[in-house]
Amino acid sequence: MRKLLSFLVLIALYSCGDPAGATSATTSGSSSGSSFTSAVSTAELEARELESPNIRVEIGGVPLQGALLIGQFAEQQFRADEAIVEGNAVVFKRDEPYKPGHYYCYFSDGAAVQLLIDQDQTFSLSAPTAQNALRDMKVEGSVENELFYELLKFEAGQQEDFRQLGDAVRSASPGSPEYEKLQADRKALVDQRLEYQNKLFAKHPKSLFTSFKRAGRNPQLRDVRLPDGTIDEQAQVAAFREDFWNDVDFNDIRLLNTPVIFNKLKRYIQELTPQNADAIIESSDKLISKVLDKPEFFKFFANWITLQYEPGKTTVMDGAAIHVHMIQNYFTKERAFWSDSMTVYGLQQRADQMAYSLVGQKGPDITVPDMNGTPRRLYDLKKPFIAVYMYNPECEHCIEETPKFVKVMNELKSELDVYAIALDTDQTKWKNFVKANGMSEWTNVYDPTNRSIFKTYYVDNTPELYLLNKDRVIVGKNLKVAQLKDAIRIAKEKE
């Protein structure tokens, strides 16, 4: 595969902090929903004086060698510090404060302890064993962690009840009296948990604990009904998506140093949003409109969504449309404050090229010289479908895929024309490749200047395969040869 255009420049834009020694670690942070009163603002956070940390963790039965403090920024986990050993405890101590957020203390045997770090960075956690840490954790000197472990203990106490109810619901017949009772019992448990959370939140509304745990809650399902009185599930899902971010305080930048923001973003875009370009663009715009005046959240959301739908990295049909939309709307010199003007200009140029060949648009009509030097116009081809096939004679994947394409074409030649464009080569290599692969029945073209195909069919990797229907609208791109028959079948079904 020949990579024709590098995207390292955009990766460089995504500079979310200074993680060093990234490591994998289990993350958490979820519950279930309501609205909030404002937590700590960015200005308040920046005005705070954080004390030099002295955090003592004593867990019975764990090895004391090699304990690490693992932090998180957005989706990146990083090594924040390494512990020293004092008696039976590991201690994290230094002059520079840790950034407020959610952390793990990892021991060399894989045991882990969660902790919240905010303004007060002198405290201790202790438990007789790692296995029973949620139940038996003792906290001294940190209200944040007292609240955190109080709630974790309460939620752990409910887990078995939730599990038993879940098993029983799956065994009951929907609509039966038994089923309805089990659902009511489950709702009562959820309400009990919410009431417990809300009591803790009310006591310390500006704590990191409250902001973190509140943000992780799911919104309550709205009671949306059809005219016949039954639940309108489609409208209910749409309302859930609409309410999904209600409990997140985008004024509180501490949340970016917890797993909750990344977990919610990934779920919102990849699970709650239909996986097509139009729906993802709509959801992305709605979310980003909430944070245009919240620089760090805006920066993270814009970069993550844009990178997620980079051509070649996504299975969403025409993910390039999402990618182009994000760059053209949010990676501008007015908005992309984290990047220099030349980088933004380069991204805009690239998006502009990609915008000419998105699924659903008319395929650009091009005229390129053939093997005899005769100009050949794409739109002069007459069959119901046209495959625009771009390749390089020395590209390994092109060498592998082209014979497969020739074989498939023998089955599709009554309804499919091929307009094959050679790229980044010379006349001799091009003609030898056409002859060696039996491509003589195709329309074979090559323009060494690339002028005739400039800003037309965007190529990220070769081979690149587009499919145009009878109206010469692009109905498939980034196709593999093996997908071509299905792409034609689907296009026919939509006519």
Side-chain angles (χ1 to χ4, degrees):
M1 181 182 294
R2 175 165 294 193
K3 188 75 173 174
L4 297 178
L5 287 171
S6 169
F7 200 54
L8 291 176
V9 64
L10 186 53
I11 295 175
L13 282 180
Y14 179 47
S15 53
C16 292
D18 55 350
T23 184
S24 63
T26 305
T27 60
S28 69
S30 63
S31 285
S32 181
S34 76
S35 62
F36 64 87
T37 55
S38 180
V40 182
S41 69
T42 299
E44 285 180 283
L45 286 168
E46 291 175 346
R48 287 181 169 191
E49 285 192 23
L50 304 178
E51 66 181 3
S52 297
N54 188 336
I55 300 170
R56 183 181 182 89
V57 182
E58 185 174 348
I59 308 295
V62 299
L64 298 180
Q65 298 78 18
L68 298 175
L69 187 65
I70 302 298
Q72 178 151 342
F73 184 87
E75 64 179 316
Q76 298 177 328
Q77 294 168 330
F78 61 94
R79 172 175 158 172
D81 208 351
E82 183 173 358
I84 60 174
V85 178
E86 291 184 359
N88 294 323
V90 295
V91 180
F92 300 99
K93 184 188 302 185
R94 67 181 191 183
D95 293 333
E96 181 185 356
Y98 302 119
K99 291 182 179 179
H102 177 272
Y103 290 79
Y104 277 89
C105 171
Y106 270 94
F107 295 91
S108 58
D109 66 348
V113 173
Q114 298 184 67
L115 58 153
L116 296 177
I117 300 178
D118 193 24
Q119 186 174 12
D120 185 353
Q121 301 195 6
T122 299
F123 59 87
S124 66
L125 305 175
S126 61
T129 64
Q131 291 77 11
N132 295 320
L134 292 185
R135 185 190 68 195
D136 300 327
M137 184 66 74
K138 182 179 180 182
V139 179
E140 293 183 359
S142 171
V143 173
E144 295 282 0
N145 287 288
E146 287 177 10
L147 295 166
F148 188 40
Y149 274 94
E150 182 179 344
L151 182 57
L152 289 176
K153 181 179 179 179
F154 177 84
E155 292 174 343
Q158 285 192 318
Q159 282 181 358
E160 181 59 22
D161 292 334
F162 273 114
R163 187 193 65 77
Q164 290 180 6
L165 279 171
D167 291 343
V169 167
R170 284 187 287 273
S171 300
S173 299
S176 67
E178 178 191 8
Y179 181 86
E180 295 302 325
K181 182 181 184 306
L182 290 168
Q183 291 286 39
D185 290 345
R186 185 183 183 282
K187 183 179 183 303
L189 270 181
V190 171
D191 290 343
Q192 185 182 18
R193 182 178 62 188
L194 289 174
E195 182 182 359
Y196 196 90
Q197 290 174 348
N198 289 335
K199 285 181 180 178
L200 296 178
F201 296 164
K203 291 179 182 177
H204 299 276
K206 292 193 174 185
S207 67
L208 172 59
F209 159 79
T210 294
S211 189
F212 170 47
K213 295 302 292 185
R214 196 193 293 274
R217 304 205 303 190
N218 288 324
Q220 299 274 24
L221 286 174
R222 295 190 203 173
D223 187 9
V224 187
R225 296 186 179 270
L226 295 166
D228 64 2
T230 59
I231 293 291
D232 186 340
E233 293 184 359
Q234 186 174 354
Q236 198 173 54
V237 169
F240 185 90
R241 184 169 60 246
E242 189 73 23
D243 297 340
F244 191 65
W245 295 94
N246 286 355
D247 272 351
V248 177
D249 186 350
F250 291 118
N251 289 312
D252 193 343
I253 60 174
R254 297 173 300 183
L255 291 175
L256 282 169
N257 296 323
T258 76
V260 69
I261 296 300
F262 170 63
N263 289 346
K264 287 185 79 85
L265 174 61
K266 188 174 181 181
R267 186 181 178 202
Y268 175 73
I269 294 293
Q270 297 184 343
E271 297 177 25
L272 298 180
T273 298
Q275 292 301 283
N276 63 72
D278 288 343
I280 293 169
I281 288 171
E282 181 181 0
S283 286
S284 299
D285 285 347
K286 284 183 177 179
L287 175 59
I288 291 179
S289 70
K290 299 176 184 291
V291 297
L292 282 173
D293 61 343
K294 310 292 189 291
E296 293 305 314
F297 285 98
F298 168 55
K299 173 183 174 182
F300 172 55
F301 290 159
N303 274 282
W304 188 86
I305 296 169
T306 305
L307 285 169
Q308 196 69 23
Y309 297 99
E310 179 189 358
K313 286 188 176 181
T314 176
T315 58
V316 172
M317 174 61 76
D318 204 25
I322 307 166
H323 188 79
V324 168
H325 175 84
M326 294 297 296
I327 290 177
Q328 290 183 334
N329 286 275
Y330 303 116
F331 286 78
T332 64
K333 63 181 182 180
E334 295 83 12
R335 287 179 165 173
F337 63 88
W338 56 88
S339 186
D340 61 81
S341 59
M342 287 303 297
T343 302
V344 169
Y345 175 78
L347 288 169
Q348 289 292 333
Q349 287 287 96
R350 181 174 185 262
D352 183 52
Q353 292 178 24
M354 293 171 65
Y356 282 87
S357 53
L358 300 175
V359 170
Q361 296 181 177
K362 289 278 270 190
D365 187 16
I366 56 177
T367 301
V368 189
D370 68 8
M371 300 186 77
N372 298 314
T374 304
R376 299 294 298 274
R377 181 173 175 241
L378 174 66
Y379 275 23
D380 283 343
L381 301 181
K382 302 300 183 185
K383 291 178 182 176
F385 292 93
I386 299 175
V388 180
Y389 185 64
M390 288 165 282
Y391 67 93
N392 176 276
E394 296 175 283
C395 151
E396 291 182 8
H397 280 77
C398 302
I399 293 169
E400 179 183 338
E401 287 290 302
T402 302
K404 297 177 185 176
F405 195 6
V406 172
K407 184 177 179 180
V408 169
M409 268 304 298
N410 291 331
E411 304 172 37
L412 298 173
K413 57 185 178 182
S414 64
E415 60 183 343
L416 181 68
D417 276 319
V418 179
Y419 195 88
I421 307 171
L423 301 170
D424 296 340
T425 187
D426 59 43
Q427 294 275 349
T428 301
K429 291 175 182 176
W430 167 46
K431 292 181 178 180
N432 287 343
F433 188 83
V434 169
K435 182 178 180 181
N437 285 283
M439 300 160 60
S440 58
E441 293 186 21
W442 299 0
T443 299
N444 293 287
V445 300
Y446 169 57
D447 179 3
T449 69
N450 284 331
R451 290 174 186 167
S452 55
I453 59 172
F454 178 67
K455 280 193 175 181
T456 55
Y457 293 92
Y458 181 80
V459 185
D460 187 50
N461 296 311
T462 55
E464 181 71 76
L465 178 59
Y466 285 79
L467 180 65
L468 280 58
N469 67 8
K470 62 183 178 61
D471 298 316
R472 301 320 182 218
V473 170
I474 299 171
V475 293
K477 63 183 292 188
N478 306 130
L479 295 170
K480 304 295 183 186
V481 170
Q483 298 172 312
L484 190 55
K485 289 182 182 178
D486 282 341
I488 291 174
R489 175 183 57 78
I490 292 170
K492 286 179 178 178
E493 291 172 354
K494 291 182 177 179
E495 289 178 355

